[in-house]
Short mmCIF file of all heavy atoms in Angstrom, two decimals:
data_model
loop_
_atom_site.label_atom_id
_atom_site.label_comp_id
_atom_site.label_asym_id
_atom_site.label_seq_id
_atom_site.Cartn_x
_atom_site.Cartn_y
_atom_site.Cartn_z
N ARG A 123 14.15 11.80 -7.27
CA ARG A 123 14.53 10.87 -8.35
C ARG A 123 15.66 9.95 -7.89
O ARG A 123 15.67 8.75 -8.20
CB ARG A 123 14.92 11.65 -9.60
CG ARG A 123 13.76 12.40 -10.23
CD ARG A 123 14.03 12.80 -11.67
NE ARG A 123 12.95 13.61 -12.18
CZ ARG A 123 11.80 13.13 -12.67
NH1 ARG A 123 11.59 11.82 -12.68
NH2 ARG A 123 10.87 13.95 -13.15
N ALA A 124 16.60 10.50 -7.15
CA ALA A 124 17.71 9.67 -6.65
C ALA A 124 17.20 8.59 -5.71
O ALA A 124 17.63 7.43 -5.78
CB ALA A 124 18.74 10.56 -5.96
N LEU A 125 16.28 8.94 -4.84
CA LEU A 125 15.74 7.96 -3.89
C LEU A 125 14.87 6.93 -4.59
O LEU A 125 14.89 5.74 -4.25
CB LEU A 125 14.93 8.68 -2.80
CG LEU A 125 15.75 9.55 -1.84
CD1 LEU A 125 14.83 10.36 -0.92
CD2 LEU A 125 16.70 8.69 -1.00
N ILE A 126 14.10 7.36 -5.59
CA ILE A 126 13.27 6.43 -6.35
C ILE A 126 14.15 5.42 -7.07
O ILE A 126 13.89 4.20 -7.05
CB ILE A 126 12.38 7.21 -7.35
CG1 ILE A 126 11.24 7.92 -6.60
CG2 ILE A 126 11.82 6.27 -8.42
CD1 ILE A 126 10.45 8.88 -7.45
N GLU A 127 15.21 5.89 -7.70
CA GLU A 127 16.11 4.99 -8.43
C GLU A 127 16.79 4.01 -7.49
O GLU A 127 17.04 2.86 -7.85
CB GLU A 127 17.14 5.81 -9.19
CG GLU A 127 16.56 6.58 -10.37
CD GLU A 127 17.59 7.46 -11.05
OE1 GLU A 127 18.79 7.38 -10.68
OE2 GLU A 127 17.21 8.23 -11.95
N ALA A 128 17.07 4.45 -6.27
CA ALA A 128 17.79 3.59 -5.33
C ALA A 128 16.88 2.59 -4.62
O ALA A 128 17.30 1.46 -4.35
CB ALA A 128 18.51 4.45 -4.30
N PHE A 129 15.64 2.98 -4.32
CA PHE A 129 14.85 2.19 -3.38
C PHE A 129 13.47 1.75 -3.89
O PHE A 129 12.76 1.06 -3.16
CB PHE A 129 14.68 2.96 -2.07
CG PHE A 129 15.97 3.32 -1.41
CD1 PHE A 129 16.36 4.64 -1.29
CD2 PHE A 129 16.82 2.33 -0.93
CE1 PHE A 129 17.56 4.99 -0.68
CE2 PHE A 129 18.03 2.67 -0.32
CZ PHE A 129 18.40 3.99 -0.20
N TRP A 130 13.09 2.13 -5.09
CA TRP A 130 11.79 1.68 -5.63
C TRP A 130 12.01 0.60 -6.67
O TRP A 130 12.93 0.71 -7.48
CB TRP A 130 11.05 2.85 -6.26
CG TRP A 130 10.31 3.72 -5.29
CD1 TRP A 130 10.48 3.81 -3.93
CD2 TRP A 130 9.27 4.66 -5.61
NE1 TRP A 130 9.63 4.73 -3.41
CE2 TRP A 130 8.88 5.28 -4.41
CE3 TRP A 130 8.65 5.05 -6.80
CZ2 TRP A 130 7.89 6.25 -4.37
CZ3 TRP A 130 7.67 6.02 -6.76
CH2 TRP A 130 7.29 6.61 -5.56
N PRO A 131 11.15 -0.42 -6.69
CA PRO A 131 10.12 -0.68 -5.70
C PRO A 131 10.72 -1.14 -4.38
O PRO A 131 11.75 -1.81 -4.37
CB PRO A 131 9.29 -1.80 -6.35
CG PRO A 131 10.24 -2.48 -7.28
CD PRO A 131 11.18 -1.42 -7.77
N GLY A 132 10.08 -0.77 -3.28
CA GLY A 132 10.60 -1.14 -1.97
C GLY A 132 9.96 -0.35 -0.87
O GLY A 132 8.94 0.33 -1.05
N GLY A 133 10.59 -0.40 0.32
CA GLY A 133 9.99 0.13 1.53
C GLY A 133 10.29 1.58 1.81
O GLY A 133 10.64 1.94 2.94
N LEU A 134 10.17 2.43 0.80
CA LEU A 134 10.40 3.87 0.98
C LEU A 134 9.20 4.65 0.47
O LEU A 134 8.79 4.51 -0.69
CB LEU A 134 11.65 4.33 0.23
CG LEU A 134 11.92 5.84 0.31
CD1 LEU A 134 12.30 6.25 1.73
CD2 LEU A 134 13.02 6.25 -0.66
N SER A 135 8.62 5.48 1.34
CA SER A 135 7.52 6.38 0.98
C SER A 135 8.05 7.80 0.90
O SER A 135 8.83 8.23 1.75
CB SER A 135 6.40 6.31 2.03
OG SER A 135 5.86 5.01 2.11
N LEU A 136 7.61 8.52 -0.13
CA LEU A 136 8.05 9.90 -0.34
C LEU A 136 6.86 10.84 -0.27
O LEU A 136 5.84 10.62 -0.95
CB LEU A 136 8.73 10.04 -1.71
CG LEU A 136 10.00 9.22 -1.93
CD1 LEU A 136 10.51 9.42 -3.36
CD2 LEU A 136 11.07 9.60 -0.92
N VAL A 137 6.98 11.89 0.54
CA VAL A 137 5.94 12.91 0.62
C VAL A 137 6.37 14.08 -0.25
O VAL A 137 7.44 14.66 -0.06
CB VAL A 137 5.73 13.37 2.08
CG1 VAL A 137 4.65 14.45 2.15
CG2 VAL A 137 5.36 12.19 2.97
N LEU A 138 5.50 14.40 -1.24
CA LEU A 138 5.80 15.46 -2.20
C LEU A 138 4.58 16.35 -2.38
O LEU A 138 3.45 15.92 -2.10
CB LEU A 138 6.17 14.84 -3.56
CG LEU A 138 7.50 14.06 -3.61
CD1 LEU A 138 7.54 13.15 -4.83
CD2 LEU A 138 8.67 15.03 -3.61
N PRO A 139 4.77 17.60 -2.87
CA PRO A 139 3.60 18.44 -3.18
C PRO A 139 2.81 17.82 -4.32
O PRO A 139 3.36 17.47 -5.36
CB PRO A 139 4.23 19.77 -3.60
CG PRO A 139 5.63 19.75 -3.06
CD PRO A 139 6.04 18.31 -3.10
N GLN A 140 1.50 17.65 -4.13
CA GLN A 140 0.70 17.04 -5.16
C GLN A 140 0.43 18.01 -6.30
O GLN A 140 0.49 19.24 -6.13
CB GLN A 140 -0.63 16.55 -4.59
CG GLN A 140 -1.62 17.66 -4.26
CD GLN A 140 -2.98 17.11 -3.90
OE1 GLN A 140 -3.10 16.17 -3.12
NE2 GLN A 140 -4.03 17.70 -4.46
N ALA A 141 0.14 17.47 -7.47
CA ALA A 141 -0.23 18.31 -8.61
C ALA A 141 -1.55 19.02 -8.29
O ALA A 141 -2.51 18.38 -7.88
CB ALA A 141 -0.38 17.45 -9.86
N PRO A 142 -1.60 20.35 -8.47
CA PRO A 142 -2.81 21.09 -8.07
C PRO A 142 -4.04 20.72 -8.90
O PRO A 142 -5.16 20.97 -8.47
CB PRO A 142 -2.41 22.56 -8.29
CG PRO A 142 -1.24 22.52 -9.20
CD PRO A 142 -0.53 21.23 -8.94
N SER A 143 -3.84 20.12 -10.06
CA SER A 143 -4.97 19.79 -10.92
C SER A 143 -5.69 18.52 -10.50
O SER A 143 -6.77 18.21 -11.02
CB SER A 143 -4.48 19.62 -12.36
OG SER A 143 -3.51 18.58 -12.44
N LEU A 144 -5.13 17.76 -9.57
CA LEU A 144 -5.72 16.47 -9.21
C LEU A 144 -7.01 16.65 -8.42
O LEU A 144 -7.07 17.42 -7.47
CB LEU A 144 -4.73 15.65 -8.38
CG LEU A 144 -3.49 15.14 -9.11
CD1 LEU A 144 -2.62 14.34 -8.18
CD2 LEU A 144 -3.88 14.29 -10.32
N SER A 145 -8.03 15.88 -8.83
CA SER A 145 -9.32 15.94 -8.14
C SER A 145 -9.49 14.67 -7.32
O SER A 145 -10.18 13.74 -7.71
CB SER A 145 -10.46 16.08 -9.14
OG SER A 145 -10.43 15.02 -10.08
N TRP A 146 -8.81 14.63 -6.19
CA TRP A 146 -8.97 13.50 -5.29
C TRP A 146 -9.09 14.01 -3.87
O TRP A 146 -8.81 15.18 -3.59
CB TRP A 146 -7.85 12.47 -5.43
CG TRP A 146 -6.43 12.95 -5.15
CD1 TRP A 146 -6.06 14.11 -4.54
CD2 TRP A 146 -5.23 12.26 -5.47
NE1 TRP A 146 -4.68 14.18 -4.46
CE2 TRP A 146 -4.15 13.05 -5.01
CE3 TRP A 146 -4.95 11.03 -6.07
CZ2 TRP A 146 -2.82 12.67 -5.17
CZ3 TRP A 146 -3.62 10.66 -6.21
CH2 TRP A 146 -2.58 11.47 -5.77
N ASP A 147 -9.53 13.14 -2.98
CA ASP A 147 -9.69 13.50 -1.57
C ASP A 147 -9.16 12.35 -0.74
O ASP A 147 -9.85 11.38 -0.46
CB ASP A 147 -11.16 13.75 -1.25
CG ASP A 147 -11.39 14.16 0.20
OD1 ASP A 147 -10.38 14.35 0.92
OD2 ASP A 147 -12.55 14.27 0.62
N LEU A 148 -7.89 12.47 -0.33
CA LEU A 148 -7.22 11.43 0.44
C LEU A 148 -7.24 11.69 1.93
O LEU A 148 -6.67 10.94 2.71
CB LEU A 148 -5.77 11.30 -0.03
CG LEU A 148 -5.56 10.99 -1.51
CD1 LEU A 148 -4.08 11.14 -1.88
CD2 LEU A 148 -6.07 9.60 -1.85
N GLY A 149 -7.92 12.77 2.33
CA GLY A 149 -7.90 13.21 3.72
C GLY A 149 -7.25 14.57 3.80
O GLY A 149 -7.08 15.28 2.79
#
Side-chain angles (χ1 to χ4, degrees):
R123 293 198 185 278
L125 292 172
I126 286 170
E127 290 176 6
F129 301 114
W130 279 18
L134 177 67
S135 299
L136 298 177
V137 180
L138 292 162
Q140 73 171 46
S143 60
L144 291 180
S145 56
W146 61 13
D147 181 6
L148 302 170

